[in-house]
């Protein structure tokens, strides 16, 4: 019961309030004025909305590929018995302990063309700014997903690898025939967390690029920030926030449905 109350107070109530405000006109002062579906019609007709949605999807896909490949390999490696593995794993997880704001400020200084370590204006080009956001997000969150894959890899029975070795299977064959299939539910869990996390990127974009150059990195959360805290149109900002919640929930349900994760069948089934 305490968990339900905590979730309701800090998640359900704020989402319900944002959904209510999406049907109002409100500049942050006074009482909200009901406007019906005006904010949602504006959302559909807004040209920047289409561009922001595309950038958000592209950022989510690029982040998933970048983070999943590295986190999966590092997680499987960290689950082994290599020498000094514990020390290296502890050092590697340090970025996850830092806040997104601190990490964004750090990389903003490092990428400064005048005082940083790279004398090219990476954040001044569309592709450079986009890739910088993907890299900085991955640098922070790959350790977290590595931890998930490490836990999943440690649950794989050793007898499977012993039997494969007796049959003459090498490390690559064992990885693709045993490790990956056994980690399919772990991949699903990590993917859902990555997708939801990528859809809510904000601090990194605000500090690194401010949505630029131009509007080339203005993803949906940044568009919501501009609508609320630059234009003081909190009704429209709430409509964008509600749309983000619907997209994230829909994608999560689709992923769970397509991967069969909802059945929660054991990965050891058949043993």
């Amino acid at each position: 019961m305490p968990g339900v109350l905590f979730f309701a107070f800090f998640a359900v109530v704020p989402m319900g309030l944002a959904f209510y405000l999406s049907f109002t006109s409100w500049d942050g002062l006074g009482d909200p004025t009901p406007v019906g579906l005006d904010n949602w019609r504006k959302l559909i007709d807004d040209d920047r909305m289409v561009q922001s949605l595309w950038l958000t999807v592209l950022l989510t896909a690029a982040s998933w590929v970048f983070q999943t490949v590295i986190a999966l390999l590092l997680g499987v490696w960290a689950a082994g018995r290599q020498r000094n593995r514990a020390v290296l794993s502890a050092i590697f997880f340090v970025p996850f302990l830092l806040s997104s704001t601190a990490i964004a400020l750090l990389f903003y200084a490092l990428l400064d063309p005048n005082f940083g370590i790279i004398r090219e204006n990476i954040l001044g080009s569309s592709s450079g700014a986009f890739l910088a956001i993907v890299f900085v997000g991955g640098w922070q969150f790959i350790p977290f997903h590595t931890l998930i894959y490490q836990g999943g890899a440690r649950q794989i029975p050793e007898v499977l690898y012993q039997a494969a070795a007796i049959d003459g299977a090498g490390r690559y064959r064992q990885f693709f025939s045993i490790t990956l299939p056994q980690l399919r539910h772990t991949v699903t869990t990590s993917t859902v967390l990555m997708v939801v996390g990528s859809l809510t990127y904000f601090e990194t974009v605000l500090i690194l690029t401010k949505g630029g150059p131009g509007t080339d990195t203005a993803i949906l959360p940044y568009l919501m920030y501009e609508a609320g805290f630059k234009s003081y149109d909190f009704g429209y900002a709430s409509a964008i926030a509600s749309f983000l919640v619907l997209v994230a929930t829909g994608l999560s349900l689709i992923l769970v449905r397509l991967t069969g994760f909802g059945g929660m069948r054991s990965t050891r089934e058949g043993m």
Side-chain angles (χ1 to χ4, degrees), residues 226-247:
E226 283 195 331
F229 294 96
K230 286 188 174 180
S231 302
Y232 299 103
D233 189 353
F234 288 97
Y236 186 49
S238 298
I240 299 174
S242 300
F243 178 71
L244 264 175
V245 170
L246 294 175
V247 170

Side-chain angles (χ1 to χ4, degrees), residues 132-180:
I133 294 171
V134 173
F135 177 81
V136 173
W139 190 81
Q140 180 182 12
F141 291 109
I142 281 176
F144 171 70
H145 294 282
T146 297
L147 189 64
I148 295 176
Y149 283 114
Q150 182 188 29
R154 284 183 173 175
Q155 298 301 314
I156 301 175
E158 186 66 25
V159 65
L160 294 178
Y161 294 104
Q162 294 172 352
I166 293 174
D167 291 339
R171 287 189 175 183
Y172 293 104
R173 180 64 182 276
Q174 291 179 20
F175 177 78
F176 287 104
S177 300
I178 298 176
T179 305
L180 275 183

Side-chain angles (χ1 to χ4, degrees), residues 116-134:
I117 59 174
I118 300 176
R119 294 309 171 94
E120 295 183 12
N121 189 10
I122 294 176
L123 300 179
S125 70
S126 299
S127 58
F130 182 84
L131 292 176
I133 294 171
V134 173

Side-chain angles (χ1 to χ4, degrees), residues 29-264:
L29 299 173
D31 296 327
T33 304
V35 293
L37 296 174
D38 286 358
N39 289 321
W40 290 91
R41 293 193 188 98
K42 182 179 177 181
L43 190 70
I44 296 172
D45 297 334
D46 191 346
D47 293 335
R48 289 193 62 189
M49 177 67 188
V50 177
Q51 181 197 23
S52 295
L53 180 60
W54 165 245
L55 288 173
T56 304
V57 172
L58 196 61
L59 177 66
T60 301
S63 298
W64 180 84
V65 173
F66 178 56
Q67 295 183 28
T68 296
V69 172
I70 297 178
L72 175 60
L73 295 177
L74 285 175
V76 172
W77 171 82
R81 298 176 180 175
Q82 297 84 354
R83 189 178 182 183
N84 298 324
R85 172 179 52 82
V87 175
L88 292 174
S89 296
I91 296 174
F92 179 72
F93 288 128
V94 168
F96 184 62
L97 302 178
L98 303 175
S99 72
S100 299
T101 303
I103 291 174
L105 288 171
L106 170 66
F107 276 93
Y108 183 76
L110 292 175
L111 296 176
D112 188 298
N114 298 314
F115 307 104
I117 59 174
I118 300 176
R119 294 309 171 94
E120 295 183 12
N121 189 10
I122 294 176
L123 300 179
S125 70
S126 299
S127 58
F130 182 84
L131 292 176
I133 294 171
V134 173
F135 177 81
V136 173
W139 190 81
Q140 180 182 12
F141 291 109
I142 281 176
F144 171 70
H145 294 282
T146 297
L147 189 64
I148 295 176
Y149 283 114
Q150 182 188 29
R154 284 183 173 175
Q155 298 301 314
I156 301 175
E158 186 66 25
V159 65
L160 294 178
Y161 294 104
Q162 294 172 352
I166 293 174
D167 291 339
R171 287 189 175 183
Y172 293 104
R173 180 64 182 276
Q174 291 179 20
F175 177 78
F176 287 104
S177 300
I178 298 176
T179 305
L180 275 183
Q182 291 290 319
L183 289 177
R184 62 185 185 278
H185 291 331
T186 308
V187 172
T188 303
T189 301
S190 174
T191 297
V192 170
L193 293 174
M194 282 185 192
V195 168
V196 174
S198 298
L199 288 174
T200 57
Y201 270 175
F202 174 67
E203 300 99 325
T204 305
V205 175
L206 177 66
I207 295 172
L208 274 186
T209 67
K210 292 181 175 57
T215 57
D216 291 342
T217 59
I219 57 176
L220 283 176
Y222 187 80
L223 195 66
M224 177 182 64
Y225 161 76
E226 283 195 331
F229 294 96
K230 286 188 174 180
S231 302
Y232 299 103
D233 189 353
F234 288 97
Y236 186 49
S238 298
I240 299 174
S242 300
F243 178 71
L244 264 175
V245 170
L246 294 175
V247 170
T249 304
L251 285 177
S252 300
L253 292 175
I254 290 172
L255 284 171
V256 171
R257 180 72 176 177
L258 291 180
T259 56
F261 185 75
M264 292 295 289

